Amino acid sequence: MDPNQPIAQEQPVDEATRIRQAGHSRRAFLFKLSLALNGVVGAVMAVPIIGYLFGPATGKKSAEEAWVDLGSLADFPEGETRLATFRNPITTAWDGQTGDIPCWVRRVSGTTFQVFAINCAHLGCPVRWFAESKLFLCPCHGGAYYQDGSRASGPPERGLFEYEHKIAADKLLITAGKMPTLAAKCGSKPQLTQIANATPVQSSAKEMPEPRCGSCQS
């Protein structure tokens, strides 16, 4: 350093400049802090949204392969058809009662069961079981099904849909995550008759074609 060179003196900073610099630094700090807080809030809010959008897709395969317990075999007496309810495996906790799905369980004999979807194969109305007539009847459009789920009469062109089931540890299980299939069992059933050309003196009955279950229709 040259001793003969004059030493540069700092220019005095006036009060107004110091105030502006302090204000600028404070605004920059608050701006960065707000960006950080907004990022944290956005990340927290994105977690349930992402779970809602991608949760069903990631859990779909496991839900389809899951077996749902309908109850003990003792809950379904032989030769009877009873209503049962199961929890849809792909629902969430906040779905409430909408996740509970009813179905009809028919115990033919021993360990031979049929589990029917409650929905009519016509437009999806819930069908009811009438033990006296041994028929499932749809209250919406008059569809009728035999006790084995095959079509009896009315608008439906096929039988009831049937869940795949199995028995394990004295429990009846179904694969509720998969779409039920058509009731596949066909048997000999009495033909329905339709009254035609009735007169006060005489009436004649015209036989309808023999009903067939949905999986047997051509």
Side-chain angles (χ1 to χ4, degrees), residues 36 69 161 204:
D69 183 7
F161 290 96
S204 61

Side-chain angles (χ1 to χ4, degrees), residues 14-24 26:
D14 57 7
E15 187 68 19
T17 303
R18 284 198 299 270
I19 293 174
R20 285 197 301 270
Q21 291 177 348
H24 176 74
R26 186 164 51 250

Side-chain angles (χ1 to χ4, degrees), residues 78-89:
E78 290 192 20
E80 293 188 15
T81 298
R82 290 193 173 183
L83 187 67
T85 304
F86 63 89
R87 186 72 180 177
N88 191 335

